[in-house]
Amino acid sequence: MAGSSIQLARKSCYAVLKALSGIKGINGAVTAFPAYDTEDSVAPLARHGQAIPSYLSVKASGSTPLSQALWWVMQEMLSLKEDRKIVVVLSDGMPDSVESAQYAITQAKRIGFEIYGIGIASSAISQILTKTSKTIWNLNELTQALFSLLQKALVQPIR
């Protein structure tokens, strides 16, 4: 991810976090993968329960360690008091290991996580999350993509 894609990712992450923060029962966070200039690293940019930062600093390294990110995020979210665990993945490419990512998604769903994807100028995420993803090419498309993905999920009664 570079240039306009990384800018779109930053703005999209911020917009998603900001929009969802106003909904009762949602405890948002943003996690970068990769992070710290290391191919398979994962790091929080905004943590659950904390104030939303005014800027999310996302760097790109060329890899997409989706499975590592999902395992990290699940571990972080398991202790949250909210009953529903919704993960929105924003990505510009295929996971480094499609098989590992699919396994992580399967396990996440098995334990009750809801996984959605937003492709950033790439439809690769739709090959992993075939029924629960959309692709955007500019920030103006984000609202419609999120609404169409999360509309049913967010109006369901909280368990």
Side-chain angles (χ1 to χ4, degrees), residues 86-136:
I86 298 174
V87 176
V88 180
V89 175
L90 284 81
S91 178
D92 74 329
M94 288 300 284
D96 297 344
S97 170
V98 172
E99 187 177 297
S100 293
Q102 288 173 326
Y103 180 74
I105 290 166
T106 298
Q107 294 308 308
K109 289 177 179 179
R110 186 183 64 77
I111 60 174
F113 281 81
E114 300 168 53
I115 313 288
Y116 300 91
I118 299 286
I120 303 292
S122 167
S123 60
I125 194 73
S126 68
Q127 294 175 39
I128 305 293
L129 297 167
T130 56
K131 297 180 181 176
T132 58
S133 64
K134 298 286 181 186
T135 299
I136 64 170

Side-chain angles (χ1 to χ4, degrees), residues 18-44:
K18 189 78 170 165
L20 295 179
S21 70
I23 300 172
K24 185 179 179 180
I26 292 183
N27 186 352
V30 175
T31 302
F33 64 99
Y36 307 125
D37 298 325
T38 304
E39 293 285 318
D40 62 353
S41 60
V42 178

Side-chain angles (χ1 to χ4, degrees), residues 62-73:
S63 69
T64 307
L66 180 57
S67 59
Q68 293 93 321
L70 286 171
W71 289 116
W72 190 90
V73 165

Side-chain angles (χ1 to χ4, degrees), residues 73-91:
V73 165
M74 286 188 285
Q75 182 179 338
E76 288 289 304
M77 291 179 70
L78 279 173
S79 65
L80 296 176
K81 66 179 180 175
E82 289 76 15
D83 290 332
R84 293 180 66 198
K85 311 293 188 229
I86 298 174
V87 176
V88 180
V89 175
L90 284 81
S91 178

